[in-house]
Amino acid sequence: MQAIHTKIWLEEPENENPYATKAAYCHGYNVYDDMLGNCRWVEMLFLLLKGEAPTQQQADLLEHLAIVLANAGPRDAAIHAAMCAGVGKSVAASSLMAALAVGAGQYSGAREVYLIMELWNKLGTDESQWKNFLLNPSSSDIVSTWPDIEHIPGFDPHGNVTPMSIMTILNKLPIDAYTPHLQWLIYNRVFLEKQSTKPITITMIAATTFIDLGLTLDEGEMLMLLLRLPGAAAHSLEQKKYGHKKFPFYSIELEDQHGKKETQ
Amino acid sequence: MKPDDLKQFSNSLKTRMGACFPGEKAIFRGHDLHQELGDIEWFDLYIYGITGKRFTKNKLSLLETIWTYTSYPDARIWNNRVAALAGSTKSTANLATSASLAVSEAEVYGGGVLYKSISFLLRTNKEIDVSSQLKIHIEKELHSNRGIAGYGRPLISSDERILPILEKAKSLGLNKGPHLKLAYDIEKLLIEGRWRLRINYAAISSALAADIGLSPMQFYQFMSTVFLAGMQPCYTEAVEKPAGTLFPTACHDIKYEGVKKRIWKEK
């Protein structure tokens, strides 16, 4: 018999049925008997990814970020995608799949978080290294299916001001000695924005938080995808109720090979 | 781009790709879909949509055959298994297919390796003139990427798709291109150099597509649905069988290799 290997999950069967779970253990902890009622959702998330329970500070930090990321609002492309599913009354899973596919990208998405985390690992909290990079940004030359990226990860290519929301989030995150990268980001934000000439984004805050939580690049990318789904679900369901008559279809300007335009 | 610049894109789509004019017509890359393209084969339209170019019947036939010869309705294969598992949980066919397609963007066997393979062949063909340079180029690639996309196969070393697709290419007069020759020159060096990496279907299909004239992005887009035909039967059979009977896994089928049981902290 071929087995599935795991370090995460142990299930003990009922005596009468090997397919029925008597008890389940997550990284050694009895989930239903011991954790349930004594464990926060974010603690379970952290345990699943890292194999160890978070400290109180880590759980608090992750919970703050989870609230920040829970809903990007209907202007966000991933939420827009989920709403497209909702308004057409697509099946529930398609809303989240749409949000995942669009929210996976290198512009405001989970891949951008991955790339920012990669930058943190490469540049650390070294001011001169960041300066050199921001003055001469280079992207990876690894051949992959990801399209070429046009902006510096973590900075808004269309921005001209640091939004108050970003400032408020940075002020409210529980930052202390356990979060050296977030601390450094707060102290050096103006410097970074001056060098890049662009304001930082939510993805920068998410990636920096993930670095301070000790997540790997893959774990950070995955958690970013996961934490943004609640808003996608809610907005999809809302548009399903509103219906297509209240959802923009937008106008179109079609240009042919000869430059002739046709609008609708 | 500044915020004011973004405003020009708000509320309107400027496009050259096409549009639907309800009750009147639909335009597909500059042509009336129901009039000018009324007799086009779907596969021709698909490739035209990706590339903006029309290809000869023989080239289209070869591209379609690249799909056909790797359409395996085997629910053990990872992407197909997703479609089948969706059937077994009585999920919808569309979700099964969509998820299975998403999973097909795999570094080991899917979109990831295909994109790398055609990129490598195009780049190598452009840069290398003689075989001595090719050997150095291969060694460099092996050193930096720990392998060459399109050579070697995850489960076994031989590839049953190669001979049939080469015969098809020959019958269509499309087996003499420079990228196909290069793909085999590379294999020869890899075998002589004792890396023991044999050419696989990714390199063959990449080479044929490169010789037809597809770019890496066009080939990758075209191949994103390459496994589609194999997925549907996997779903069909699984959804017809009793729920939960595809690879039912008992507790003892899981080999737990984690830490010992321990006590969760009190609240």
Side-chain angles (χ1 to χ4, degrees), chain B residues 65-108:
Chain B
T65 308
I66 288 173
W67 279 22
T68 305
Y69 286 178
T70 196
S71 299
Y72 291 4
D74 183 336
R76 296 172 306 166
I77 299 170
W78 304 315
N79 51 351
N80 287 345
R81 201 186 299 183
V82 172
L85 285 167
S88 192
T89 63
K90 308 291 174 181
S91 185
T92 72
N94 202 329
L95 288 174
T97 310
S98 305
S100 192
L101 286 175
V103 169
S104 302
E105 179 150 7
E107 286 280 335
V108 174

Side-chain angles (χ1 to χ4, degrees), chain B residues 51-77:
Chain B
T51 63
K53 292 184 219 160
R54 299 293 294 275
F55 291 88
T56 64
K57 260 197 158 142
N58 280 8
K59 286 180 178 176
L60 289 170
S61 175
L62 184 57
L63 288 171
E64 188 170 336
T65 308
I66 288 173
W67 279 22
T68 305
Y69 286 178
T70 196
S71 299
Y72 291 4
D74 183 336
R76 296 172 306 166
I77 299 170

Side-chain angles (χ1 to χ4, degrees), chain A residues 3-6 9 12 18 27-28 34 38 43 51-52 143-145 157-158 251 253-255 257 262 264, chain B residues 1 3 11-13 15-16 20-22 25 105 115-116 220 251 253 255-257 259 261-262 264-265:
Chain A
I4 294 173
H5 297 250
T6 177
W9 202 253
E12 291 173 341
H27 288 290
D34 203 4
N38 291 310
E43 288 179 307
E52 290 297 332
V143 177
S144 82
T145 53
H158 310 307
S251 63
E253 188 180 292
L254 180 64
E255 189 182 330
Q257 301 97 311
E262 200 171 357
Q264 188 193 43
Chain B
M1 203 175 286
N11 284 308
S12 180
L13 172 66
T15 179
R16 299 186 71 171
C20 162
F21 297 85
K25 63 181 177 182
E105 179 150 7
Y115 188 89
K116 283 182 182 168
Y220 159 65
C251 290
D253 296 331
K255 192 170 187 320
Y256 179 68
E257 297 169 339
V259 298
K261 290 178 188 174
R262 48 186 170 167
W264 183 257
K265 63 190 175 180

